[in-house]
């Protein structure tokens, strides 16, 4: 049985002001993938930008599925987040 706490949720207006978070970055780079066209005078640059956008989307989607990677400066990169699993109160050192 998992003890899910209501404060462990994502509220965009609180947690991602002005899209300055990993979820906002996913939206930004996905939008680039959907709107940037390859062809014409800027073909090489556009192809490069599409490649970069795809790499960032893949990386950020991976990160967002690892909750301790998504943290704030005040919790020292997730190091001050207590993890509760069965009878443990934190990860082993």
């Amino acid at each position: 049985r998992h003890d899910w706490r209501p404060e462990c949720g994502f509220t965009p207006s609180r947690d991602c002001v002005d899209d300055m978070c990993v979820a906002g970055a996913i939206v930004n780079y996905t939008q680039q993938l959907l709107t940037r066209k390859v062809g014409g005078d800027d073909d090489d640059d556009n192809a490069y930008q599409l490649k970069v956008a795809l790499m960032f989307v893949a990386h950020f989607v991976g990160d967002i599925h690892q909750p301790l990677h998504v943290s704030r400066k005040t919790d020292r990169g997730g190091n001050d987040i207590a993890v509760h699993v069965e009878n443990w109160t934190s990860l082993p050192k």
Side-chain angles (χ1 to χ4, degrees), residues 74-90:
T74 56
D75 65 27
R76 297 184 321 114
N79 289 308
D80 289 342
I81 297 173
V83 176
H84 302 278
V85 179
E86 296 177 17
N87 295 324
W88 295 355
T89 56
S90 64

Side-chain angles (χ1 to χ4, degrees), residues 18-82:
D18 297 327
D19 286 337
M20 296 301 291
C21 68
V22 71
I26 291 170
V27 170
N28 174 32
Y29 285 109
T30 300
Q31 190 64 30
Q32 289 184 38
L33 290 171
L34 294 172
T35 59
R36 192 175 285 270
K37 303 286 188 241
V38 177
D41 295 335
D42 296 330
D43 192 41
D44 289 340
D45 184 55
N46 282 335
Y48 174 77
Q49 294 300 327
L50 283 168
K51 179 180 175 181
V52 168
L54 182 59
M55 290 190 307
F56 273 116
V57 168
H59 180 89
F60 291 146
V61 167
D63 275 354
I64 209 166
H65 286 86
Q66 299 181 49
L68 295 181
H69 284 201
V70 182
S71 61
R72 295 175 178 80
K73 189 176 185 179
T74 56
D75 65 27
R76 297 184 321 114
N79 289 308
D80 289 342
I81 297 173

